[in-house]
Amino acid sequence: MASSLQCIDCAQQYPIQRVIYTCDACGGLLDVRHDFGDSSSEISPALFDGRLGAFIAPYSSGVWRFKELVYPGVDDSDIVSRMEGNTNLYELPRVASYAGMDTLFLKHEGENPTGSFKDRGMTTGVTQARILGMERVACASTGNTSASMASYAARAGMQGIIFLQNQQIALGKLAQGIAFGATCLQINADFDRNMELVRLVSEKLGIYLLNSINPFRLEGQKSIMFEALQQLRWSVPDWIVVPGGNLGNSSAFGKGLLEMLQVGLIDRLPRLAIIQAEGANPLYRHFRDGFRQFEAVNAETIATAIKIGNPVNLQKAIRALEWTSGVVEQVSDQQIMDAKAIIDGVGIGCEPASACSVAGAKRLVERGIIKRGDTVLGVLTGHVLKDPEATIGYHADQLPGLSPKHRNAMLQVEDDLDAIVRVLGDRAP
Ligand code: F0G
């Protein structure tokens, strides 16, 4: 089945064998376009349901289960997979009531092999790198992309090269990149500058770029929507709420949702709500200004995963917002960390950036944009263990400028039986 690359601005097409990330003719972003023509009759809930619980690759993966929509022409022997996806969809009434709504589902992408949604894009990105015969792959990262790329590159026997901002990466993520054997460059530059640098270096040295500007990444990430809808038995929620940083996920969601509509898996589109941190809110500002003049920002937020001021997928995210009558909201670091404490406190947990989904949904309910009775699906993008410093800092009340509303303070107790019994007595449920 034919797939090609196509510019989202001028529609120029390129063969998928080309190592190219933006349009030669106009500089626009590229989509991977699949011709579903031949197989659209076989694409059905029954096809994908029939693969649930598969033990054998590639259909044991929650990405490759949807192969016909992700990369139809791929040879199974080229696929580099860690059985990513297959993440849980939780219905969480306590979190819903915190956010002021009746029905909230949270899809936990932190349950992927390296602890974030990036694995879904990395299986397709590294598979494409293998098809192209690449030996080296690179990315700039706030942490999760690098952890994921390092893992998949190691599985594929490739050298992974990661560009990181000095001191600004959560410990869990840094540890993964090092452990998986990637070449880690700590550079005194923020994510946005590192993104420019990795593009230049990759071009100069013929290294395959695996940031989400690479359209094959987004093909894998679309499967978050496929799997979520499958879990909801193809019943479309009113809202999908997702954090926005480099805007790869929101872009992928827009494309995946539209494709599901095109092949008849769903009968309408949900509305997309993209949530940014107040200190890293270039899309929010642009949205508020009616998309007139885009301005990058100098990003600062405790949610280091989304500390991004100049997102590379901007145009695709705007397109996704247009397709889905979407909205953009912003939330403060205080709101992010309080929402995180609520998600953590019900025993599910997530990293700070992920909590934007709940904090943002809450704001949108308060502003009357999401209605209490709407069905809302939020995406938790990363695992609670990714950023232990932020979690402990919150509960120890040691985060500058923040005061924890949902604190679980650690208790210092003497080595003394009576003292311990007294403390627990004071805290009996
Ligand atoms: N949540 C988490 C946990 C992330 O790691 C990221 C992005 C996002 C949300 C935002 O997703 O970029 O698709 O809008 N992390 C990238 C990284 C930038 O390098 O790990 P996005």
Side-chain angles (χ1 to χ4, degrees):
M1 178 181 317
S3 298
S4 57
L5 296 169
Q6 185 173 46
C7 175
I8 69 163
D9 291 330
C10 75
Q12 176 73 35
Q13 296 209 357
Y14 303 90
I16 52 170
Q17 295 78 15
R18 275 277 306 272
V19 179
I20 183 174
Y21 312 101
T22 49
C23 179
D24 277 347
C26 77
L29 297 169
L30 301 177
D31 270 337
V32 185
R33 274 183 60 106
H34 309 295
D35 176 7
F36 297 124
D38 310 344
S39 66
S40 57
S41 55
E42 78 189 54
I43 293 175
S44 66
L47 174 71
F48 302 131
D49 286 355
R51 295 172 183 165
L52 284 172
F55 290 116
I56 295 173
Y59 300 132
S60 46
S61 155
V63 174
W64 297 104
R65 178 157 82 247
F66 305 98
K67 184 178 161 187
E68 288 76 5
L69 294 170
V70 168
Y71 199 158
V74 76
D75 194 332
D76 287 357
S77 63
D78 283 326
I79 292 177
V80 182
S81 170
R82 284 196 59 193
M83 287 184 235
E84 48 291 310
N86 296 312
T87 59
N88 284 304
L89 184 69
Y90 297 95
E91 188 175 356
L92 298 171
R94 266 162 69 193
V95 183
S97 104
Y98 171 77
M101 56 188 63
D102 297 334
T103 313
L104 174 67
F105 295 96
L106 291 177
K107 182 149 180 69
H108 206 327
E109 287 299 301
E111 296 173 349
N112 271 289
T114 76
S116 83
F117 70 91
K118 306 288 181 180
D119 295 341
R120 293 188 185 255
M122 223 35 92
T123 184
T124 43
V126 174
T127 294
Q128 183 64 8
R130 176 185 270 176
I131 291 168
L132 296 169
M134 294 291 173
E135 292 177 342
R136 300 212 276 182
V137 292
C139 67
S141 182
T142 57
N144 282 325
T145 301
S146 57
S148 181
M149 193 192 75
S151 166
Y152 282 76
R155 298 294 303 125
M158 296 171 195
Q159 183 192 8
I161 303 166
I162 59 193
F163 288 53
L164 303 167
Q165 180 177 9
N166 255 344
Q167 312 293 330
Q168 289 286 331
I169 170 170
L171 279 186
K173 307 175 189 182
L174 178 61
Q176 287 176 295
I178 298 169
F180 295 140
T183 304
C184 304
L185 307 178
Q186 290 197 285
I187 299 174
N188 276 324
D190 65 9
F191 172 84
D192 299 295
R193 174 65 184 147
N194 273 317
M195 190 64 235
E196 285 171 15
L197 287 170
V198 75
R199 288 175 76 169
L200 294 168
V201 172
S202 298
E203 164 127 40
K204 206 175 172 63
L205 299 181
I207 299 170
Y208 195 54
L209 183 60
L210 278 176
N211 279 101
S212 54
I213 194 163
N214 182 321
F216 288 93
R217 280 271 316 275
L218 303 194
E219 291 309 290
Q221 287 172 212
K222 289 186 316 192
S223 68
I224 301 173
M225 288 297 101
F226 303 157
E227 195 172 88
L229 266 294
Q230 184 176 35
Q231 287 164 313
L232 290 174
R233 307 318 297 140
W234 310 101
S235 148
V236 181
D238 298 305
W239 290 93
I240 305 284
V241 190
V242 62
N246 222 8
L247 304 178
N249 237 6
S250 4
S251 300
F253 288 9
K255 186 169 187 282
L257 289 166
L258 195 70
E259 288 170 351
M260 273 194 280
L261 187 69
Q262 281 163 355
V263 301
L265 284 169
I266 54 175
D267 54 9
R268 67 182 176 98
L269 292 175
R271 296 182 72 185
L272 189 62
I274 305 176
I275 315 300
Q276 297 207 293
E278 254 173 33
N281 62 354
L283 180 70
Y284 172 78
R285 288 167 182 241
H286 198 36
F287 173 75
R288 210 184 41 195
D289 286 357
F291 297 128
R292 274 195 291 276
Q293 183 70 35
F294 177 76
E295 274 178 47
V297 304
N298 277 325
E300 195 49 71
T301 168
I302 188 159
T304 52
I306 50 171
K307 198 163 110 40
I308 295 175
N310 192 12
V312 295
N313 288 299
L314 178 72
Q315 295 308 329
K316 284 186 179 175
I318 294 173
R319 184 179 71 165
L321 289 166
E322 284 167 359
W323 286 338
T324 62
S325 311
V327 299
V328 186
E329 184 53 276
Q330 64 173 358
V331 286
S332 66
D333 282 1
Q334 179 75 52
Q335 289 165 332
I336 290 173
M337 292 307 289
D338 288 334
K340 172 175 147 55
I342 298 294
I343 301 160
D344 293 353
V346 296
I348 299 293
C350 65
E351 69 162 285
S354 310
C356 282
S357 296
V358 171
K362 182 173 177 357
R363 288 274 299 147
L364 288 168
V365 172
E366 284 161 2
R367 292 185 46 215
I369 296 170
I370 295 182
K371 306 281 178 269
R372 168 172 270 284
D374 287 351
T375 303
V376 179
L377 188 149
V379 179
L380 299 178
T381 46
H383 197 279
V384 68
L385 289 177
K386 287 281 191 174
D387 192 347
E389 288 171 302
T391 306
I392 294 168
Y394 178 88
H395 291 289
D397 195 7
Q398 282 171 356
L399 297 179
L402 299 190
S403 56
K405 285 210 188 66
H406 308 284
R407 187 169 177 206
N408 180 17
M410 278 166 285
L411 306 170
Q412 305 296 324
V413 195
E414 291 305 314
D415 172 1
D416 177 90
L417 190 59
D418 290 341
I420 296 171
V421 168
R422 207 165 37 244
V423 164
L424 291 179
D426 289 348
R427 282 165 184 75

